[in-house]
Amino acid sequence: MDTSTVWTDLMKLTQLSSYDIQGFTDHIPFSFFEWMKTSALRSIPRIDRSQRQLAPLFLDVLPVMPHLQSLNYKWFFGEPEKEVLWLIDLVQKCTQITELDLEISHRQISLFVPVLAGLTNLVTLRLESDLMWTMPPLFFTLNFPQLKFLRNILIASADVSAFGTWLDRHAGLEELRLTLESQEDLYQSQLFDKCTALISLDIRLLVKPLPSFCLTDLPPTLRKLMWRPSPGPNFLPNEHQLTHFGFDEFDNNIRRHRSLVDLHTDWLDQFWVVEMSSW
């Protein structure tokens, strides 16, 4: 198959914002990389270890793409530190992105955290690793004014207070997925008091909570809560605004939070005259 025509045809799509072509992304022609510099692309297919030979081109092209919003890197598990230095350099230079999805070795988390400081436009940050890891304390000194979605971070008990201060500075968070070491981390800090926009919260505890453990305060905006391991029967406060807890739904709250537009009946069906001749 002659793949050159595929890339030529793509370059004719002046409004193309994303593409996902599997099977021959290792043979991208230089002309396509040059086209990317002024294209309307907002995202590119995820980069993996098989494309490390393209590192010089990525470093030359991606930071200057005016519309690029998303970077996605996976499967660097077990890579030697020197093999990801180019990736660290790339992330640091792509200050225009609003979404960063990293799936890397736990040994490399501390290498990436310092370069996040320049990504002040981030709306979504997701970190995934091969083994259990904790967020380096340096992370809690960083500021992301636009951040709404933070996913898959583990907070050590010693850093809960610093994380709480960090949350105070990021009151616009709407979705949060994190792992804590124990229920005491929640007792000792009012983590979510300043999370006035939080809609979805996913918490995993490394130690199973006591059966008597009960949440006393939830952000009033919170609608979806996932909690692992499964808590005791009296876990939720009596008056809560949740629509979903785990895989359960609270129908009354779902109806309560639906807007008048959602609830309206089809008035035309109710009042429209079916036969004009009956007038």
Side-chain angles (χ1 to χ4, degrees), residues 9 37 39 45 48 96 140 171 192 195:
D9 290 340
K37 289 181 179 181
S39 72
D48 59 35
Q96 78 273 39
F140 308 121
F192 311 113
C195 295

Side-chain angles (χ1 to χ4, degrees), residues 2-34:
D2 181 9
T3 62
S4 61
T5 59
V6 174
W7 303 109
T8 301
D9 290 340
L10 283 178
M11 288 187 283
K12 297 176 183 177
L13 305 176
T14 58
Q15 300 303 312
L16 184 68
S17 61
S18 65
Y19 71 95
D20 189 2
I21 299 177
Q22 304 294 329
F24 48 91
T25 54
D26 293 339
H27 305 287
I28 305 174
F30 179 76
S31 58
F32 187 78
F33 277 102
E34 286 297 303

